[in-house]
Amino acid sequence: MGTCALRDVAQFPVSEGLPVSNSAESTPKRPLRVAIVGAGPAGVYAADILTKSNEVKGGDFEVSIDLFEAYPAPYGLIRYGVAPDHPRIKGIVNALHKVLDRGDIRFLGNVTYGRDLKLHDFRAFYDAVIFSTGAIKDADLNVPGVELEGSFGGADFVSWYDGHPDVPRDWPLDAKEIAVIGNGNVALDVARMLVKHADELLSTEIPDNVYRGLKNSPVTDVHVFGRRGPAQVKFTPLELRELSHANDVDIVLYPEDFEFDEASDDAIRSNNQIKTMVNTMTNWLVEEHAEAEVPSSRRLHLHFLHSPVEIYDGAGNTAGTGKVAGIKFERMQLDGTGHVKGTGEFIDYPVQAVYRAIGYHGSPLDELEYNAKAGVIPNEGGRVLDAEGNPVPGIYATGWIKRGPVGLIGHTKGDALETIGCLLEDRLTLPPAQNPDPHAIIALLEERGVEYTTWEGWNRLDAHEAALGKAWTEAEAETGVVRERIKVVPREEMIRISRSSEG
Ligand SMILES: Cc1cc2nc3c(=O)[nH]c(=O)nc-3n(C[C@H](O)[C@H](O)[C@H](O)COP(=O)(O)OP(=O)(O)OC[C@H]3O[C@@H](n4cnc5c(N)ncnc54)[C@H](O)[C@@H]3O)c2cc1C
Ligand SMILES: NC(=O)c1ccc[n+]([C@@H]2O[C@H](COP(=O)([O-])OP(=O)(O)OC[C@H]3O[C@@H](n4cnc5c(N)ncnc54)[C@H](OP(=O)(O)O)[C@@H]3O)[C@@H](O)[C@H]2O)c1
């Protein structure tokens, strides 16, 4: 068993037969039934690649795909992760929309694997199942005080500002000084959303409760802390430069943080992104110290070589029900390899809120093995493995749940190519569905009272959100702000609108 090379769908060899379940002479031919669980980019790309593969296009069998999603809406973290002020992502959404709009992939939203449907249900109705369930949780930060009031997971805040249906509508934005831990793109998203003036976000699709919450925020200073140096950041040049576009926000850097070891020099020489970012930050440092400008009302501080030690309340306690009043870091130094070691010097910052943005983490899936450390389903090239490390026939994984929570939307295409390559390689040995009739799964969902949503339903909700944006734009014409969409947040409302002319 190895990984499967389906680098280019056009190169994949043409099929010679049907699924084994169909190959008996007396059995009429039927499509290969595949369920994909998770309609984020990884799931949609997997569905698209499967339908377009030469095995399917040039072969003598068809595929029939059902794409299941726990939310009533598709697109995963594109809808509930990507920051609202990133409109350039729209191009990707349009491309994914076109895939699902073709009509050869059936979307079934508001259906949760493990709750509404179990593995044996999928086994009964499909020849193969692909899990593309991504990651939605924060990775754990193991420092004392992380449970205090005012200590937040970045992923939770992201879910709030993106109008996730299952998180509370109110977010406590009462801190003037805030620490954000982490040096990845999520840390920059979180910091930017915290420090930006709300009116700058009004033209995005942020829900009204989010606009109101941010509008009332008393924040003056957001401090972003990386534990390594400026040449070891995980964020990317575009996202870094974006920070300087926020109105009335000064970027503050600290000369003592600009430490570079041999590995940093190598990285700057060999990696254009790192070179660009180090140059950008060094320029900001010089500009900031060269001339005193009119100070802005808010500041975004970028700190490096700070490793979090503890978060504490007003009495200095790290346990109990107190509220965050400060955070302690150990100052780090580079060790020559791009990693860091402690200096024994500690620094305190008075802050009233701490956001940890130190990475996402996957969640276990019912009846499947789980690698809790990496937050992934154990797999080889997308073939899901059992406890003994053997492939589970007919079960696959793709996207962040296959590979871990790293990488951009586009990277999930590569995951899907490999996973679909394996599935097609295994095609003749897949355990056949007991009931491949596509209507059977719908009957089961209805029998269980699952209020599933459909692609037509999503188009209705999509149009409804666009209409809300248009109505707002017309009603508030004097502001000159155009809102293309206002997201519907409560799950029940999403379902009601999606299913409004159904049954
Ligand atoms: C905060 C944040 C911002 C980002 N911004 C960008 C950006 O601007 N540009 C960029 O290129 N990349 C960005 N990324 C990265 C990008 O979002 C990921 O690369 C991509 O979404 C991973 O795709 P996925 O399909 O594996 O997972 P996801 O997008 O998480 O999709 C998984 C889907 O599976 C569903 N699911 C989970 N469990 C179940 C279940 N039990 N039953 C049914 N369905 C289930 C989920 O509801 C979800 O819809 C960002 C990531 C984060 C965290
Ligand atoms: N606009 C965009 O394109 C966009 C936006 C958001 C996310 N994304 C992508 O989504 C993926 C996930 O992003 P992410 O920011 O969640 O993860 P990430 O890129 O892995 O960054 C995690 C950051 O947290 C730090 N960290 C980890 N453990 C820590 C600890 N115990 N203490 C202090 N710091 C710690 C890491 O430092 P070390 O490096 O020292 O480990 C790193 O700086 C990335 O690939 C990202 O590019 C893209």
Side-chain angles (χ1 to χ4, degrees):
M1 183 184 59
T3 56
C4 313
L6 182 60
R7 300 257 172 265
D8 178 345
V9 287
Q11 286 168 13
F12 207 79
V14 170
S15 148
E16 282 161 12
L18 289 164
V20 74
S21 54
N22 303 332
S23 60
E25 276 168 29
S26 58
T27 314
K29 290 179 180 180
R30 67 160 174 88
L32 181 76
R33 291 278 290 143
V34 178
I36 300 180
V37 181
V44 180
Y45 285 135
D48 189 35
I49 288 166
L50 181 55
T51 50
K52 283 182 180 159
S53 73
N54 275 354
E55 275 272 351
V56 173
K57 279 171 70 186
D60 59 354
F61 78 104
E62 292 175 352
V63 288
S64 153
I65 302 174
D66 287 343
L67 177 59
F68 292 89
E69 169 54 51
Y71 303 137
Y75 308 141
L77 279 172
I78 299 184
R79 185 171 161 101
Y80 294 123
V82 171
D85 56 352
H86 277 182
R88 67 178 181 280
I89 232 71
K90 269 192 204 135
I92 299 181
V93 171
N94 288 343
L96 298 181
H97 179 94
K98 274 189 192 149
V99 170
L100 296 182
D101 217 33
R102 285 197 310 251
D104 54 356
I105 298 158
R106 183 167 65 173
F107 172 77
L108 292 167
N110 199 35
V111 182
T112 299
Y113 168 79
R115 188 194 63 192
D116 302 319
L117 293 174
K118 302 279 190 184
L119 193 59
H120 64 84
D121 298 318
F122 284 100
R123 287 278 193 213
F125 298 117
Y126 300 92
D127 304 304
V129 190
I130 304 172
F131 287 92
S132 48
T133 48
I136 189 78
K137 275 191 341 195
D138 285 289
D140 290 336
L141 174 67
N142 293 317
V143 300
V146 82
E147 303 294 340
L148 288 176
E149 188 188 332
S151 162
F152 303 107
D156 294 336
F157 182 56
V158 166
S159 290
W160 175 73
Y161 68 59
D162 269 343
H164 190 291
D166 305 328
V167 303
R169 294 293 97 84
D170 294 322
W171 192 269
L173 284 163
D174 50 11
K176 288 177 94 168
E177 295 148 305
I178 300 175
V180 177
I181 302 171
N183 257 182
N185 278 325
V186 173
L188 294 196
D189 277 355
V190 165
R192 202 179 61 253
M193 288 298 292
L194 285 166
V195 83
K196 244 181 170 176
H197 288 280
D199 284 337
E200 264 194 87
L201 294 163
L202 196 51
S203 61
T204 72
E205 57 191 46
I206 53 165
D208 287 339
N209 65 305
V210 175
Y211 170 73
R212 282 196 303 276
L214 292 170
K215 180 86 181 158
N216 292 326
S217 167
V219 68
T220 59
D221 292 82
V222 174
H223 299 260
V224 180
F225 294 97
R227 61 180 169 182
R228 296 195 284 156
Q232 283 78 38
V233 295
K234 291 268 178 70
F235 45 73
T236 39
L238 215 62
E239 283 61 33
L240 175 67
R241 277 200 296 269
E242 205 176 351
L243 298 179
S244 64
H245 302 155
N247 284 336
D248 189 33
V249 176
D250 285 341
I251 297 179
V252 186
L253 295 120
Y254 298 84
E256 64 273 24
D257 289 350
F258 280 67
E259 191 182 285
F260 300 96
D261 62 353
E262 211 174 301
S264 306
D265 294 337
D266 284 348
I268 293 166
R269 261 194 305 273
S270 63
N271 183 325
N272 267 337
Q273 291 213 348
I274 294 291
K275 183 178 165 185
T276 307
M277 290 190 289
V278 168
N279 282 342
T280 302
M281 290 188 283
T282 312
N283 287 340
W284 284 346
L285 186 67
V286 173
E287 283 165 19
E288 179 199 336
H289 286 267
E291 51 191 271
E293 291 173 21
V294 181
S296 298
S297 69
R298 292 181 176 181
R299 285 157 296 280
L300 179 64
H301 307 251
L302 297 179
H303 304 266
F304 302 101
L305 300 167
H306 280 66
S307 184
V309 175
E310 64 175 28
I311 304 166
Y312 46 84
D313 66 13
N317 295 324
T318 58
T321 54
K323 202 169 177 316
V324 170
I327 180 165
K328 186 186 291 298
F329 290 92
E330 181 171 9
R331 184 145 196 102
M332 310 304 280
Q333 63 186 36
L334 288 161
D335 68 358
T337 69
H339 291 94
V340 281
K341 54 186 181 193
T343 62
E345 184 195 338
F346 296 90
I347 315 169
D348 289 90
Y349 291 83
V351 292
Q352 300 81 49
V354 174
Y355 288 73
R356 33 188 205 282
I358 61 162
Y360 273 54
H361 204 76
S363 304
L365 283 164
D366 204 44
E367 293 183 71
L368 298 178
E369 287 301 310
Y370 179 63
N371 177 339
K373 191 159 180 267
V376 299
I377 308 177
N379 71 91
E380 204 166 298
R383 290 184 176 105
V384 170
L385 305 177
D386 65 16
E388 279 74 48
N390 300 314
V392 185
I395 307 290
Y396 301 85
T398 192
W400 275 17
I401 196 65
K402 165 188 179 183
R403 171 173 54 80
V406 176
L408 302 180
I409 294 163
H411 295 137
T412 62
K413 222 182 238 183
D415 300 329
L417 275 170
E418 185 187 52
T419 296
I420 297 301
C422 286
L423 188 154
L424 289 172
E425 206 171 281
D426 301 344
R427 187 173 62 83
L428 298 176
T429 58
L430 294 174
Q434 293 138 31
N435 184 355
D437 177 359
H439 301 296
I441 189 75
I442 301 294
L444 182 70
L445 289 171
E446 284 174 357
E447 187 188 307
R448 290 185 183 167
V450 179
E451 290 189 289
Y452 64 91
T453 59
T454 61
W455 182 246
E456 294 69 35
W458 161 246
N459 280 329
R460 241 187 316 277
L461 179 56
D462 194 26
H464 179 88
E465 291 185 341
L468 289 179
K470 188 162 180 271
W472 188 98
T473 305
E474 284 167 8
E476 307 285 334
E478 78 282 1
T479 63
V481 175
V482 175
R483 298 188 75 179
E484 281 187 23
R485 163 193 303 273
I486 297 176
K487 266 186 192 171
V488 173
V489 180
R491 184 179 278 263
E492 320 78 65
E493 209 179 323
M494 293 175 75
I495 296 168
R496 184 182 56 72
I497 296 162
S498 295
R499 291 172 60 93
S500 54
S501 69
E502 291 175 8

